[in-house]
C-alpha cells in the first residue's frame, strides 16, 4: 500500500475511502467491505452525518480482529459552526465518541468559513460569523491544543487557498501537515500544489471522480464528466483499466492522498486496485492538458446576500 510521510513523520496511506454522501444506512457495510479489501485510511467529517455508523463498523472490525486501531488512519473535520475556540475540543470529542475511537489520526478545519454555533448550513447572512468574530488563527490555536493533548495526532486544514494558508503559517506554532482540497485532472491545482509542496504541506484530493452523486441543488448545468473525457477514456482503454482508475492513479502519481467515495463492493475493489495502475510521463502530460480549472464544489453555498463571505474570500 502506497503511503506518504507527512512533515511530522507520520505515514498516511495514499488511498483513502471518502464518506461524504455515503448514507447512514449504507456506510456500515461500505466500511466493513473496504477494510476487508485492504483500505486503511477513512476520511470522515461531522457534517456528513454518518460518523456514528462508521464508528459501529470500525468498532466491529476491531472486535472481530480484522484490523487493529493502530493500523488505521482516520481523518475527520471540524465543522464551520464550531470555530469559536471553546467549541473546538467538544466538537472533536463528539466526533471521536461517534467514531468509537480514543483519538484521530488527522483533524482538519473543514472550511475557512465560520457559522454561529448550531447553524449547520447557512440560510441567511445572519447565520455566519465573520472572520473578525471567529478568526482562523484563534481556531487554529484550539486545534493546536487538541493536538498537544493527543486527541488529534496530526492537524491540518481543508479548502484553504494560498493566502489563507500564508496567513495561518504566519501565526501558527504547529504547522498544518495537510490541506484537503478538490483536485483532479479538470482542477489540477498546480499553483496551490507547488505552494504547499514548498511549505511541506501535502494535499488530499477530494471529489477525485467528480462527485456525480451530489445533490442536484449543488450541481451545475451540463457539468463536464471526467469519466467520459476522451483523453481519460483513451488512456484507460490502452491500459485495460477503467477511467476512474486513471483519475485515481493520476492523484497518486502527483504524490497526493486521494479519497474516492463508494458504497459499492465492486467499485471499492476497483478503486483500491488503482494503486497498481502505472502512468507514463506522456500519460501525465496528456492528463495535464485537459485541466479546465473547473470546480465541482464551487463554495457558493457560503455566499449569501449581505453575508460576510464572497467567493474570493472562500478561495483566497
Ligand atoms: P458509488 O458509491 O455507487 O460507487 P467522488 O469520490 O468524486 O465524490 O465520486 C463518488 C461518486 O462516484 C459516487 O457516485 C460513486 O458511486 C461513484 N464511483 C465511485 N467509484 C467509482 C468507479 N470506480 N466507477 C464509477 N463510479 C464510481
Amino acid at each position: 500500500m502506497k503511503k506518504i510521510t507527512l512533515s511530522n513523520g507520520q505515514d498516511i496511506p495514499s488511498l483513502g475511502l471518502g464518506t461524504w454522501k455515503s448514507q447512514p444506512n449504507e456506510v456500515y457495510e461500505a466500511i466493513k467491505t473496504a477494510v476487508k479489501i485492504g483500505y486503511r485510511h477513512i476520511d470522515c467529517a461531522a457534517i456528513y452525518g454518518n460518523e456514528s455508523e462508521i464508528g459501529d463498523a470500525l468498532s466491529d472490525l476491531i472486535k472481530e480482529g480484522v484490523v487493529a486501531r493502530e493500523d488505521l488512519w482516520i481523518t475527520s473535520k471540524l465543522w464551520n459552526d464550531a470555530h469559536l475556540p471553546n467549541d473546538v475540543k467538544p466538537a472533536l470529542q463528539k466526533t471521536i465518541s461517534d467514531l468509537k475511537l480514543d483519538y484521530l489520526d488527522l483533524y482538519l478545519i473543514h472550511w475557512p468559513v465560520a457559522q454561529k454555533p448550531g447553524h449547520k448550513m447557512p440560510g441567511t447572512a445572519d447565520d455566519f460569523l465573520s472572520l473578525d468574530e471567529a478568526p482562523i488563527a484563534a481556531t487554529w490555536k484550539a486545534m493546536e491544543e487538541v493536538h498537544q493533548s493527543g486527541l488529534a495526532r496530526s492537524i491540518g486544514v481543508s479548502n484553504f487557498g494560498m493566502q489563507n494558508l500564508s496567513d495561518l503559517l504566519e501565526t501558527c506554532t504547529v504547522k498544518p501537515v495537510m490541506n484537503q482540497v478538490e483536485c483532479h485532472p479538470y482542477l489540477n491545482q498546480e499553483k496551490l500544489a507547488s505552494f504547499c509542496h514548498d511549505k511541506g504541506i501535502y494535499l488530499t484530493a477530494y471529489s477525485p471522480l467528480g462527485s456525480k452523486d451530489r445533490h442536484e441543488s449543488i450541481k451545475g448545468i451540463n457539468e463536464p464528466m471526467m469519466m467520459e473525457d476522451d483523453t481519460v477514456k483513451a488512456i484507460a482503454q490502452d491500459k485495460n483499466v477503467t477511467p476512474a482508475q486513471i483519475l485515481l492513479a493520476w492523484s497518486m502519481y502527483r504524490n497526493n492522498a486521494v479519497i474516492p467515495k463508494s458504497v459499492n463492493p465492486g467499485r471499492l475493489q476497483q478503486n483500491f486496485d488503482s494503486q497498481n495502475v502505472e502512468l507514463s510521463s506522456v500519460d501525465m502530460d496528456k492528463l495535464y492538458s485537459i485541466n479546465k480549472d473547473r470546480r465541482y464544489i464551487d463554495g457558493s453555498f457560503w455566499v449569501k446576500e449581505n453575508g460576510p463571505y464572497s467567493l474570493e474570500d472562500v478561495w483566497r
Side-chain angles (χ1 to χ4, degrees), residues 282-295:
V282 175
D283 298 326
M284 288 303 279
D285 286 347
K286 286 185 189 161
L287 292 166
Y288 271 111
S289 76
I290 62 171
N291 179 49
K292 299 179 193 297
D293 289 333
R294 174 72 165 78
R295 287 185 194 278

Side-chain angles (χ1 to χ4, degrees), residues 39-111:
Y39 286 77
R40 291 294 177 267
H41 165 185
I42 314 288
D43 184 82
C44 315
I47 194 63
Y48 301 162
N50 54 12
E51 288 194 321
S52 173
E53 291 76 11
I54 294 173
D56 290 342
L58 294 176
S59 110
D60 286 352
L61 285 161
I62 293 167
K63 259 190 253 151
E64 289 159 15
V66 177
V67 71
R69 167 65 185 100
E70 56 273 23
D71 295 329
L72 289 169
W73 180 282
I74 311 293
T75 299
S76 186
K77 311 183 193 87
L78 177 77
W79 190 237
N80 304 351
D81 70 338
H83 275 211
L84 293 174
N86 287 340
D87 294 338
V88 172
K89 189 173 178 188
L92 172 57
Q93 284 171 323
K94 165 88 167 79
T95 272
I96 289 178
S97 150
D98 284 348
L99 290 169
K100 292 149 194 92
L101 302 173
D102 303 321
Y103 66 92
L104 288 185
D105 296 276
L106 177 61
Y107 199 42
L108 308 175
I109 297 182
H110 207 147
W111 286 90

Side-chain angles (χ1 to χ4, degrees), residues 28-305:
Y28 176 88
E29 281 308 324
I31 298 287
K32 288 200 83 173
T33 306
V35 170
K36 286 177 187 166
I37 286 172
Y39 286 77
R40 291 294 177 267
H41 165 185
I42 314 288
D43 184 82
C44 315
I47 194 63
Y48 301 162
N50 54 12
E51 288 194 321
S52 173
E53 291 76 11
I54 294 173
D56 290 342
L58 294 176
S59 110
D60 286 352
L61 285 161
I62 293 167
K63 259 190 253 151
E64 289 159 15
V66 177
V67 71
R69 167 65 185 100
E70 56 273 23
D71 295 329
L72 289 169
W73 180 282
I74 311 293
T75 299
S76 186
K77 311 183 193 87
L78 177 77
W79 190 237
N80 304 351
D81 70 338
H83 275 211
L84 293 174
N86 287 340
D87 294 338
V88 172
K89 189 173 178 188
L92 172 57
Q93 284 171 323
K94 165 88 167 79
T95 272
I96 289 178
S97 150
D98 284 348
L99 290 169
K100 292 149 194 92
L101 302 173
D102 303 321
Y103 66 92
L104 288 185
D105 296 276
L106 177 61
Y107 199 42
L108 308 175
I109 297 182
H110 207 147
W111 286 90
V113 168
Q115 284 140 222
K116 290 182 180 160
H119 291 257
K120 296 279 174 219
M121 285 305 283
T124 66
D126 196 42
D127 296 341
F128 290 99
L129 292 172
S130 70
L131 289 182
D132 288 336
E133 294 168 307
I136 297 289
T139 308
W140 187 255
K141 197 161 182 304
M143 294 285 285
E144 292 177 338
E145 281 164 15
V146 293
H147 169 59
Q148 264 130 22
S149 73
L151 289 176
R153 295 195 170 174
S154 293
I155 48 175
V157 294
S158 180
N159 295 301
F160 272 46
M162 287 180 275
Q163 191 57 54
N164 276 328
L165 275 173
S166 293
D167 293 352
L168 179 56
L169 289 170
E170 261 178 37
T171 56
C172 69
T173 305
V174 178
K175 264 179 35 171
V177 296
M178 179 63 76
N179 187 15
Q180 182 178 128
V181 293
E182 181 179 345
C183 189
H184 41 65
Y186 278 2
L187 178 69
N188 69 23
Q189 300 273 26
E190 201 168 0
K191 273 196 201 144
L192 180 64
S194 132
F195 175 89
C196 287
H197 182 260
D198 286 349
K199 308 285 181 200
I201 300 169
Y202 278 89
L203 293 186
T204 296
Y206 76 64
S207 297
L209 304 174
S211 285
K212 62 175 190 255
D213 55 343
R214 267 168 301 141
H215 192 270
E216 289 305 319
S217 61
I218 55 165
K219 266 183 159 173
I221 301 161
N222 295 328
E223 287 189 336
M225 300 292 292
M226 285 185 293
M227 281 188 267
E228 300 297 323
D229 185 283
D230 286 341
T231 303
V232 176
K233 283 203 307 200
I235 298 173
Q237 208 164 15
D238 185 49
K239 296 179 193 299
N240 207 15
V241 300
T242 66
Q245 288 177 312
I246 296 298
L247 297 172
L248 301 178
W250 176 86
S251 272
M252 287 183 271
Y253 265 76
R254 298 187 82 208
N255 219 12
N256 293 339
V258 62
I259 47 166
K261 172 265 177 185
S262 183
V263 291
N264 171 283
R267 289 190 285 274
L268 283 167
Q269 181 71 55
Q270 191 192 115
N271 296 347
F272 191 74
D273 293 343
S274 67
Q275 292 179 98
N276 304 323
V277 173
E278 292 186 6
L279 296 176
S280 66
S281 55
V282 175
D283 298 326
M284 288 303 279
D285 286 347
K286 286 185 189 161
L287 292 166
Y288 271 111
S289 76
I290 62 171
N291 179 49
K292 299 179 193 297
D293 289 333
R294 174 72 165 78
R295 287 185 194 278
Y296 291 105
I297 313 302
D298 68 5
S300 52
F301 22 78
W302 312 133
V303 182
K304 301 282 175 205
E305 205 179 336

